[in-house]
Amino acid sequence: MPELPEVENARRVLLRAELPGRSITRANVGWAPTVKQPSLEDFVLGLPSKQILSINRRGKYILLPLDSDETFIIHLGMTGGVSVQPASREVEPMVRHTFHLDDGRVLWFRDPRKFGHLWLTADPYSALPSLGPEPLSDGLTVNYLSEKFRDRNAPVKALLLEQSVVAGLGNLYVDESLFHAGVNPTRHAGSLTTSELVKLKDCIVNSLTNAIAIYDRAREEHWPDPPSALHTWTIPRKAGEPCPRCGAPIATMRVRARGTFFCPSCQPPEA
DNA sequence: AGTACGTCCTGATCGC
DNA sequence: TGCGATCAGGACGTAC
């Protein structure tokens, strides 16, 4: 479930691999529906010989501006992951797409469930849906959340999952933020008090910041991959486990068809 | 407009 | 032990 911290980690992996400055020489698309724009043919013909200038991130999207003034956009979906590999290496089974680089290496896009998406566009911000503020770099304010939540009856969790409200949050970090803020996921968004909004905003920022720091450490120290030690969240994602704050058994429910974990004692249903 | 839910996918896990 | 059923959930489309 790549969310903001995982996508940011992917961005840093590509930076460390010195992707900027390289050009793509060949694009192999193994699952056509992944390409959202332009047509598959134009996408595959359009990428080669263009140099990658930098690697940016907006919400859960990785944006690679090219020297053609176009942008190569990658969305990891639910199971996507990128890595840069030697061309000599045999491509692993779940790698759906490969992008050969002018230095002999290959950018792998691994995507078991094929939920990832790719774009090549001269106008990235109209190709992408409208996105809310970046919680870490734009500065998430209580006033903004208050305005977005005003008169809204939907569960606060549902609104936090909307990328147009806050960019980059997903199921995991929403649960994590609500847990630390002591807010029940089913609370009507409009019913949150100002002090709850203050707490929620801080907990969103802290959850994401902490997770990114853990990924940074994991890369620096070459933690094994995939690691159970690489838990970036603190609330157990298993019913009955003790709440890390009060020890009460963690409960589970479905909110908008999403598996939701919360502490019934720290996050009471009503304010 | 706001809210809710089905759909796409397939590896992992669950339960009989 | 094995095998079919269920689960996972980001973003979009559709429906009320």
PDB file of all heavy atoms in Angstrom, chain A residues 33-50:
ATOM      1  N   PRO A  33      -3.193  -1.590 -20.045  1.00  0.00           N
ATOM      2  CA  PRO A  33      -4.092  -0.673 -19.329  1.00  0.00           C
ATOM      3  C   PRO A  33      -3.389   0.227 -18.321  1.00  0.00           C
ATOM      4  O   PRO A  33      -3.991   1.199 -17.848  1.00  0.00           O
ATOM      5  CB  PRO A  33      -5.062  -1.629 -18.611  1.00  0.00           C
ATOM      6  CG  PRO A  33      -5.048  -2.867 -19.437  1.00  0.00           C
ATOM      7  CD  PRO A  33      -3.647  -2.991 -19.945  1.00  0.00           C
ATOM      8  N   THR A  34      -2.134  -0.088 -17.973  1.00  0.00           N
ATOM      9  CA  THR A  34      -1.402   0.763 -17.038  1.00  0.00           C
ATOM     10  C   THR A  34      -1.170   2.156 -17.614  1.00  0.00           C
ATOM     11  O   THR A  34      -1.124   3.136 -16.877  1.00  0.00           O
ATOM     12  CB  THR A  34      -0.050   0.105 -16.680  1.00  0.00           C
ATOM     13  OG1 THR A  34      -0.304  -1.142 -16.058  1.00  0.00           O
ATOM     14  CG2 THR A  34       0.760   0.978 -15.731  1.00  0.00           C
ATOM     15  N   VAL A  35      -1.030   2.229 -18.934  1.00  0.00           N
ATOM     16  CA  VAL A  35      -0.748   3.520 -19.573  1.00  0.00           C
ATOM     17  C   VAL A  35      -2.050   4.304 -19.717  1.00  0.00           C
ATOM     18  O   VAL A  35      -2.947   3.902 -20.457  1.00  0.00           O
ATOM     19  CB  VAL A  35      -0.079   3.321 -20.949  1.00  0.00           C
ATOM     20  CG1 VAL A  35       0.121   4.662 -21.634  1.00  0.00           C
ATOM     21  CG2 VAL A  35       1.241   2.591 -20.791  1.00  0.00           C
ATOM     22  N   LYS A  36      -2.151   5.424 -19.015  1.00  0.00           N
ATOM     23  CA  LYS A  36      -3.366   6.220 -19.023  1.00  0.00           C
ATOM     24  C   LYS A  36      -3.356   7.269 -20.127  1.00  0.00           C
ATOM     25  O   LYS A  36      -4.377   7.653 -20.643  1.00  0.00           O
ATOM     26  CB  LYS A  36      -3.547   6.933 -17.670  1.00  0.00           C
ATOM     27  CG  LYS A  36      -3.543   6.006 -16.470  1.00  0.00           C
ATOM     28  CD  LYS A  36      -4.498   4.852 -16.611  1.00  0.00           C
ATOM     29  CE  LYS A  36      -5.955   5.273 -16.440  1.00  0.00           C
ATOM     30  NZ  LYS A  36      -6.853   4.091 -16.511  1.00  0.00           N
ATOM     31  N   GLN A  37      -2.172   7.751 -20.449  1.00  0.00           N
ATOM     32  CA  GLN A  37      -2.069   8.840 -21.399  1.00  0.00           C
ATOM     33  C   GLN A  37      -0.622   8.939 -21.863  1.00  0.00           C
ATOM     34  O   GLN A  37       0.260   8.817 -21.015  1.00  0.00           O
ATOM     35  CB  GLN A  37      -2.484  10.152 -20.707  1.00  0.00           C
ATOM     36  CG  GLN A  37      -2.527  11.359 -21.610  1.00  0.00           C
ATOM     37  CD  GLN A  37      -2.719  12.657 -20.809  1.00  0.00           C
ATOM     38  OE1 GLN A  37      -3.354  12.689 -19.783  1.00  0.00           O
ATOM     39  NE2 GLN A  37      -2.125  13.713 -21.300  1.00  0.00           N
ATOM     40  N   PRO A  38      -0.337   9.106 -23.157  1.00  0.00           N
ATOM     41  CA  PRO A  38      -1.274   9.112 -24.291  1.00  0.00           C
ATOM     42  C   PRO A  38      -1.617   7.677 -24.679  1.00  0.00           C
ATOM     43  O   PRO A  38      -1.681   6.818 -23.793  1.00  0.00           O
ATOM     44  CB  PRO A  38      -0.449   9.798 -25.373  1.00  0.00           C
ATOM     45  CG  PRO A  38       0.963   9.407 -25.058  1.00  0.00           C
ATOM     46  CD  PRO A  38       1.043   9.323 -23.558  1.00  0.00           C
ATOM     47  N   SER A  39      -1.840   7.385 -25.950  1.00  0.00           N
ATOM     48  CA  SER A  39      -2.088   6.012 -26.379  1.00  0.00           C
ATOM     49  C   SER A  39      -0.845   5.180 -26.095  1.00  0.00           C
ATOM     50  O   SER A  39       0.259   5.712 -25.963  1.00  0.00           O
ATOM     51  CB  SER A  39      -2.402   5.963 -27.873  1.00  0.00           C
ATOM     52  OG  SER A  39      -1.224   6.279 -28.610  1.00  0.00           O
ATOM     53  N   LEU A  40      -1.015   3.884 -26.007  1.00  0.00           N
ATOM     54  CA  LEU A  40       0.120   3.004 -25.740  1.00  0.00           C
ATOM     55  C   LEU A  40       1.239   3.237 -26.757  1.00  0.00           C
ATOM     56  O   LEU A  40       2.411   3.333 -26.397  1.00  0.00           O
ATOM     57  CB  LEU A  40      -0.342   1.544 -25.778  1.00  0.00           C
ATOM     58  CG  LEU A  40       0.754   0.494 -25.604  1.00  0.00           C
ATOM     59  CD1 LEU A  40       1.445   0.668 -24.245  1.00  0.00           C
ATOM     60  CD2 LEU A  40       0.180  -0.909 -25.743  1.00  0.00           C
ATOM     61  N   GLU A  41       0.860   3.354 -28.006  1.00  0.00           N
ATOM     62  CA  GLU A  41       1.869   3.534 -29.054  1.00  0.00           C
ATOM     63  C   GLU A  41       2.623   4.846 -28.873  1.00  0.00           C
ATOM     64  O   GLU A  41       3.856   4.882 -28.923  1.00  0.00           O
ATOM     65  CB  GLU A  41       1.184   3.500 -30.435  1.00  0.00           C
ATOM     66  CG  GLU A  41       2.180   3.548 -31.583  1.00  0.00           C
ATOM     67  CD  GLU A  41       1.486   3.625 -32.946  1.00  0.00           C
ATOM     68  OE1 GLU A  41       0.239   3.779 -32.982  1.00  0.00           O
ATOM     69  OE2 GLU A  41       2.191   3.558 -33.963  1.00  0.00           O
ATOM     70  N   ASP A  42       1.893   5.908 -28.636  1.00  0.00           N
ATOM     71  CA  ASP A  42       2.547   7.213 -28.458  1.00  0.00           C
ATOM     72  C   ASP A  42       3.399   7.246 -27.195  1.00  0.00           C
ATOM     73  O   ASP A  42       4.426   7.919 -27.144  1.00  0.00           O
ATOM     74  CB  ASP A  42       1.500   8.330 -28.414  1.00  0.00           C
ATOM     75  CG  ASP A  42       0.881   8.567 -29.793  1.00  0.00           C
ATOM     76  OD1 ASP A  42       1.484   8.119 -30.790  1.00  0.00           O
ATOM     77  OD2 ASP A  42      -0.198   9.179 -29.867  1.00  0.00           O
ATOM     78  N   PHE A  43       2.962   6.515 -26.192  1.00  0.00           N
ATOM     79  CA  PHE A  43       3.722   6.448 -24.946  1.00  0.00           C
ATOM     80  C   PHE A  43       5.063   5.760 -25.187  1.00  0.00           C
ATOM     81  O   PHE A  43       6.126   6.277 -24.837  1.00  0.00           O
ATOM     82  CB  PHE A  43       2.907   5.694 -23.898  1.00  0.00           C
ATOM     83  CG  PHE A  43       3.601   5.500 -22.577  1.00  0.00           C
ATOM     84  CD1 PHE A  43       3.549   6.485 -21.598  1.00  0.00           C
ATOM     85  CD2 PHE A  43       4.289   4.324 -22.303  1.00  0.00           C
ATOM     86  CE1 PHE A  43       4.176   6.308 -20.369  1.00  0.00           C
ATOM     87  CE2 PHE A  43       4.924   4.136 -21.084  1.00  0.00           C
ATOM     88  CZ  PHE A  43       4.866   5.136 -20.116  1.00  0.00           C
ATOM     89  N   VAL A  44       5.003   4.589 -25.825  1.00  0.00           N
ATOM     90  CA  VAL A  44       6.216   3.796 -26.038  1.00  0.00           C
ATOM     91  C   VAL A  44       7.169   4.493 -27.016  1.00  0.00           C
ATOM     92  O   VAL A  44       8.391   4.459 -26.846  1.00  0.00           O
ATOM     93  CB  VAL A  44       5.839   2.380 -26.546  1.00  0.00           C
ATOM     94  CG1 VAL A  44       7.075   1.621 -27.005  1.00  0.00           C
ATOM     95  CG2 VAL A  44       5.120   1.606 -25.448  1.00  0.00           C
ATOM     96  N   LEU A  45       6.591   5.148 -28.015  1.00  0.00           N
ATOM     97  CA  LEU A  45       7.434   5.867 -28.988  1.00  0.00           C
ATOM     98  C   LEU A  45       7.913   7.203 -28.435  1.00  0.00           C
ATOM     99  O   LEU A  45       8.955   7.722 -28.847  1.00  0.00           O
ATOM    100  CB  LEU A  45       6.644   6.108 -30.292  1.00  0.00           C
ATOM    101  CG  LEU A  45       6.281   4.861 -31.100  1.00  0.00           C
ATOM    102  CD1 LEU A  45       5.422   5.239 -32.298  1.00  0.00           C
ATOM    103  CD2 LEU A  45       7.539   4.114 -31.538  1.00  0.00           C
ATOM    104  N   GLY A  46       7.154   7.727 -27.480  1.00  0.00           N
ATOM    105  CA  GLY A  46       7.447   9.070 -26.992  1.00  0.00           C
ATOM    106  C   GLY A  46       8.531   9.149 -25.941  1.00  0.00           C
ATOM    107  O   GLY A  46       9.168  10.192 -25.776  1.00  0.00           O
ATOM    108  N   LEU A  47       8.740   8.063 -25.198  1.00  0.00           N
ATOM    109  CA  LEU A  47       9.705   8.120 -24.093  1.00  0.00           C
ATOM    110  C   LEU A  47      11.173   8.122 -24.528  1.00  0.00           C
ATOM    111  O   LEU A  47      11.979   8.860 -23.954  1.00  0.00           O
ATOM    112  CB  LEU A  47       9.463   6.952 -23.122  1.00  0.00           C
ATOM    113  CG  LEU A  47       8.486   7.222 -21.976  1.00  0.00           C
ATOM    114  CD1 LEU A  47       8.316   5.957 -21.139  1.00  0.00           C
ATOM    115  CD2 LEU A  47       8.970   8.363 -21.089  1.00  0.00           C
ATOM    116  N   PRO A  48      11.560   7.296 -25.489  1.00  0.00           N
ATOM    117  CA  PRO A  48      12.985   7.176 -25.803  1.00  0.00           C
ATOM    118  C   PRO A  48      13.649   8.495 -26.196  1.00  0.00           C
ATOM    119  O   PRO A  48      13.023   9.362 -26.809  1.00  0.00           O
ATOM    120  CB  PRO A  48      13.011   6.176 -26.970  1.00  0.00           C
ATOM    121  CG  PRO A  48      11.798   5.340 -26.753  1.00  0.00           C
ATOM    122  CD  PRO A  48      10.768   6.289 -26.213  1.00  0.00           C
ATOM    123  N   SER A  49      14.918   8.581 -25.810  1.00  0.00           N
ATOM    124  CA  SER A  49      15.831   9.680 -26.133  1.00  0.00           C
ATOM    125  C   SER A  49      15.539  10.963 -25.360  1.00  0.00           C
ATOM    126  O   SER A  49      16.127  11.991 -25.630  1.00  0.00           O
ATOM    127  CB  SER A  49      15.837   9.963 -27.648  1.00  0.00           C
ATOM    128  OG  SER A  49      14.762  10.805 -27.993  1.00  0.00           O
ATOM    129  N   LYS A  50      14.629  10.874 -24.400  1.00  0.00           N
ATOM    130  CA  LYS A  50      14.386  12.054 -23.577  1.00  0.00           C
ATOM    131  C   LYS A  50      15.051  11.894 -22.221  1.00  0.00           C
ATOM    132  O   LYS A  50      14.972  10.848 -21.592  1.00  0.00           O
ATOM    133  CB  LYS A  50      12.883  12.294 -23.415  1.00  0.00           C
ATOM    134  CG  LYS A  50      12.266  12.770 -24.737  1.00  0.00           C
ATOM    135  CD  LYS A  50      10.780  12.659 -24.766  1.00  0.00           C
ATOM    136  CE  LYS A  50      10.279  12.943 -26.189  1.00  0.00           C
ATOM    137  NZ  LYS A  50       8.849  12.660 -26.327  1.00  0.00           N
TER     138      LYS A  50
END
